[in-house]
Amino acid sequence: MNKWWLEKPMRLIQTNLREIDVQTDPDEFIGSLKPFAADVLLLNVGGIVANYPTELAFQYRNPLLVNDFVGEILQRAHAEGMRVIARFDFSRLNEAIALSHPEWLYRSLEGGIVNYNGQVHTCLNGFYQQDYSIQMMTEAASRYPIDGVFINMHGYVTRDYSYNYYGICQCENCRVRFHGMFGHDSLPRKEDSSDPVYRDYETFKQVTIGELFRRRSQAVKAVNEHIAICNYTPEGTDIFRLESNTGIDRQLPEFNFSASQHVSMVMNSWEQMAVSNSAVHFVDFAMRHSAVSPHHTAARLAQDLVHGAWLDYYVIGTLGNQDDRLCMEAVKDIYTFHRDNEQYYTQLQSHADLCLIYPDSSSYYGSIKEFQGLYRMLSEQHVLFDVVHDSVLNEPRAEALLRRYKAVVLPDARNLSETACSVLDSYVQAGGKLLATGGSSTCSENGTSLGAYRLASLGADAIEETHPRKQGTYFRIRPQDKEKLRGFEPLDIVYLYDEFFQVRAKAGSDSLLGYIPPCMFGPPEKCYYTTVTDIPGLIAQDYGQGRTALLPWTIGRHYEKLSSHGHSQLIAAALQDLLGHEPGIQVSASPTVKLVAHTSEDGSRLLLHFVNLSGQLGTAFHAPLPMRGIEVSANLLGRQPHSVHALKAKTALPYRLDSTGRILLELPELELFETIVVELNS
């Protein structure tokens, strides 16, 4: 089978067409793509609006359509060597059709429909999505030589474009199917993770979303097996597509590693799958005509590029009718650089030897913030790491995947199956190192709290008490702790301001840090503490041939909130001093420089990538400050280099080898991004 989407990282541009855009001259439309060196076009074909002369009675045809816009664009795109991915959206249906078929529609908690600007929300379990959507996709796939399909908003949509919330769908189709799967007489009415019925509903959503997407994928592949399936889920997907975007009401500051996180997670979790992370042009739904900072867009695309992912840029309308065009030159520069150097970003293997688990199944505990804080700490310390989705821990290949890494970090991953616990314990038993935080493994797979740490490899089991967030609490780094943790000579304390699990340490484990119960913090005259307990905030234990460290509190969430140096230093010490994890590549650079490293698939190259994120200042993204004199030391594992050059700067770099065989070099200057290519002797 010709899997064109795996041949190399592509350069995709999505033009999310409005109804009026079918009046654009097709030659002008295709001509606007050429300066961007794009080789994949994603555009609206059907669903909410059909931009071709559909023969299906229940697909709304664009009222401004005169000719066959999709057919004309396809013909011209293919003539230019571009692939075309057809976009569909089945989450809404025009009221002219929808109101005659109430059984197809989403129902709010009050039993009403959601009609937003004449588009009515449909339900995933109704006939329109379950069956008619497949007819629309197969009609387009049969009529046109499309190269791929993409389904927008595939799932359960409970908010409109103004972010108004209408609740869990209460339609009869959902009720009957939920009852058949779990036996509950009614659907939950509140998103409450402590409710076992809601936890079943979360599983219900996951199962039904995956089942429908597989059926849609199979139907399209039955028409043409060479059509790539693109979506936001791994189920039946060839191209996993994600977005780096902004939201006007989203918590700030922005997580400026979203592109790196998305790409790394897909690349290291699922095999034989391309990844396309979109740099979204606009600010938010209500600000679609205004763009984010061009430096923000460039930083997202640079992260996509250095990870070996597709480049992906997404606008509303066409490239030729944007009202805010400031970022266009930056996008062109990155796209054309990629075109000229794509050989260096194709068929790469990650050089990271640490794995950070993405705790998706525990997200309703706030575990994603824990993940993001740990991600930032590791990145700022220039630790090389991959991201792996927690669902992979349940798969037969999980143990083999984890064996690639010397260490695994588990960020407050509470909802772990017995299989996942067994995989992680086996990994440590065989010599792996595990750093766990928060309540990792304290709940069953479906979220039932079990009151203990279920990972046998951790140095704690029973939870004696769960302390809710309290003001005035700390951990003391005691003199005996400093004998095991380096770099704490001028630092005796770190603050605690979140949930803390008071645990029973196992015999033979090492208990570090002393918990300080709530102490007075006002007035200043009363601001002192008198008690330092032996209740540990960090526990290390040998297990088999490996070792673990447990911080039974959410140190990552602390760092994501206020970025205390003490919390970051504790993570570095836990990895290096307790677990003995020493990075194979070391750099002297600002914490705002993101380090990524790969080897080429044939082993002939080591590639060291740097992305300069120094331009972020609060909510603003400015041009990054040039970084100079970045020193690099890398273990070549006995290989000999024969040349080194900087790809963006187009210059050779001097280097030397030290007595241990490590290569030592310096990157003279870093602007937005750079890739150092170390060519190795065979």
Side-chain angles (χ1 to χ4, degrees), residues 346-349 598-607:
T346 301
Q347 304 300 323
L348 301 180
Q349 295 180 340
H598 293 102
T599 52
S600 58
E601 194 171 59
D602 63 4
S604 65
R605 291 174 179 144
L606 171 66
L607 299 107

Side-chain angles (χ1 to χ4, degrees), residues 62-105:
N62 189 335
L64 301 179
L65 186 69
V66 177
N67 300 314
D68 184 353
F69 188 75
V70 168
E72 293 182 351
I73 295 296
L74 259 165
Q75 181 184 29
R76 288 164 172 79
H78 282 169
E80 295 293 337
M82 294 182 196
R83 304 280 185 174
V84 177
I85 296 177
R87 179 186 181 275
F88 296 87
D89 190 328
F90 308 114
S91 64
R92 280 96 173 165
L93 179 60
N94 190 278
E95 62 185 2
I97 301 170
L99 298 181
S100 300
H101 296 277
E103 70 279 8
W104 297 353
L105 307 179

Side-chain angles (χ1 to χ4, degrees), residues 89-395:
D89 190 328
F90 308 114
S91 64
R92 280 96 173 165
L93 179 60
N94 190 278
E95 62 185 2
I97 301 170
L99 298 181
S100 300
H101 296 277
E103 70 279 8
W104 297 353
L105 307 179
Y106 161 91
R107 293 288 173 172
S108 69
L109 294 176
E110 290 74 32
I113 65 171
V114 178
N115 189 333
Y116 190 92
N117 291 338
Q119 310 307 310
V120 186
H121 287 213
T122 62
C123 177
L124 183 134
N125 292 305
F127 172 81
Y128 178 76
Q129 287 219 38
Q130 287 287 317
D131 294 278
Y132 209 72
S133 67
I134 294 175
Q135 294 183 43
M136 286 185 265
M137 294 175 71
T138 54
E139 180 190 54
S142 300
R143 181 178 295 190
Y144 301 108
I146 56 176
D147 300 289
V149 295
F150 167 72
I151 304 172
N152 191 55
M153 289 198 177
H154 175 86
Y156 291 81
V157 179
T158 57
R159 297 180 187 272
D160 61 26
Y161 290 111
S162 297
Y163 297 117
N164 298 307
Y165 177 68
Y166 298 93
I168 295 167
C169 181
Q170 302 293 313
C171 80
E172 184 65 9
N173 295 313
C174 283
R175 190 195 67 78
V176 169
R177 199 170 182 191
F178 185 56
H179 179 270
M181 195 175 294
F182 291 99
H184 301 302
D185 291 331
S186 60
L187 292 151
R189 298 183 60 83
K190 184 179 179 182
E191 297 183 16
D192 179 6
S193 60
S194 66
D195 177 9
V197 176
Y198 176 71
R199 293 200 298 269
D200 284 343
Y201 181 73
E202 283 288 301
T203 302
F204 168 77
K205 288 198 299 181
Q206 182 180 3
V207 170
T208 52
I209 289 171
E211 184 275 336
L212 177 55
F213 194 76
R214 283 191 299 273
R215 287 200 298 111
R216 287 171 169 170
S217 173
Q218 290 163 2
V220 170
K221 293 283 191 182
V223 176
N224 181 352
E225 65 177 351
H226 302 302
I227 294 176
I229 309 299
C230 177
N231 201 45
Y232 303 114
T233 171
E235 296 285 349
T237 298
D238 298 314
I239 306 163
F240 198 132
R241 190 162 190 251
L242 294 150
E243 287 186 3
S244 291
N245 54 35
T246 56
I248 194 68
D249 293 322
R250 191 176 301 167
Q251 183 177 339
L252 298 171
E254 285 287 329
F255 182 63
N256 57 0
F257 297 107
S258 70
S260 286
Q261 176 224 311
H262 291 163
V263 172
S264 180
M265 181 182 70
V266 176
M267 284 190 155
N268 298 295
S269 300
W270 297 285
E271 298 174 344
Q272 295 296 299
M273 188 178 296
V275 55
S276 189
N277 180 73
S278 184
V280 177
H281 175 75
F282 53 83
V283 175
D284 202 349
F285 289 151
M287 301 85 182
R288 293 205 202 238
H289 301 296
S290 291
V292 299
S293 161
H295 305 295
H296 199 171
T297 295
R300 290 166 170 172
L301 291 174
Q303 291 177 66
D304 289 345
L305 183 148
V306 301
H307 281 278
W310 288 26
L311 297 186
D312 188 327
Y313 173 58
Y314 159 30
V315 300
I316 293 292
T318 72
L319 291 178
N321 59 23
Q322 295 303 306
D323 295 308
D324 186 337
R325 300 176 295 281
L326 284 174
C327 74
M328 294 299 189
E329 290 306 312
V331 176
K332 290 175 186 176
D333 287 347
I334 294 173
Y335 270 55
T336 53
F337 170 84
H338 185 270
R339 178 199 61 198
D340 296 340
N341 296 278
E342 63 183 24
Q343 61 167 316
Y344 293 100
Y345 301 99
T346 301
Q347 304 300 323
L348 301 180
Q349 295 180 340
S350 173
H351 197 70
D353 57 6
L354 184 144
C355 163
L356 176 63
I357 300 296
Y358 183 74
D360 191 33
S361 64
S362 304
S363 59
Y364 44 72
Y365 300 108
S367 299
I368 302 306
K369 287 296 180 185
E370 179 72 4
F371 166 86
Q372 290 177 339
L374 285 162
Y375 192 109
R376 287 183 52 218
M377 283 187 270
L378 294 172
S379 293
E380 291 169 9
Q381 295 165 16
H382 304 121
V383 175
L384 287 172
F385 64 96
D386 292 336
V387 178
V388 171
H389 195 275
D390 62 356
S391 64
V392 175
L393 297 175
N394 298 310
E395 298 184 10

Side-chain angles (χ1 to χ4, degrees), residues 9 305-308 337-338 341-352 384 386 584-585 587 594-611 632-636 639 641 643-648 653 663 665 667 673-680:
L305 183 148
V306 301
H307 281 278
F337 170 84
H338 185 270
N341 296 278
E342 63 183 24
Q343 61 167 316
Y344 293 100
Y345 301 99
T346 301
Q347 304 300 323
L348 301 180
Q349 295 180 340
S350 173
H351 197 70
L384 287 172
D386 292 336
I585 297 175
V587 301
K594 171 69 175 171
L595 171 68
V596 181
H598 293 102
T599 52
S600 58
E601 194 171 59
D602 63 4
S604 65
R605 291 174 179 144
L606 171 66
L607 299 107
L608 307 173
H609 315 277
F610 303 86
V611 180
V632 182
S633 167
N635 187 346
L636 297 182
R639 301 289 297 278
S643 66
V644 178
H645 65 280
L647 207 56
K648 190 81 165 59
L653 297 178
I663 189 171
L665 56 90
L667 178 62
F673 70 93
E674 184 59 275
T675 293
I676 296 176
V677 181
V678 181
E679 302 283 1
L680 301 169

Side-chain angles (χ1 to χ4, degrees), residues 564-630:
S564 169
H565 55 274
H567 296 132
S568 180
Q569 195 166 325
L570 268 178
I571 289 297
L575 284 171
Q576 295 173 21
D577 301 330
L578 297 183
L579 299 182
H581 182 74
E582 293 293 338
I585 297 175
Q586 298 173 343
V587 301
S588 63
S590 164
T592 61
V593 174
K594 171 69 175 171
L595 171 68
V596 181
H598 293 102
T599 52
S600 58
E601 194 171 59
D602 63 4
S604 65
R605 291 174 179 144
L606 171 66
L607 299 107
L608 307 173
H609 315 277
F610 303 86
V611 180
N612 185 351
L613 299 171
S614 64
Q616 184 174 7
L617 179 63
T619 60
F621 284 80
H622 304 287
L625 299 172
M627 302 288 177
R628 295 183 175 87
I630 296 176

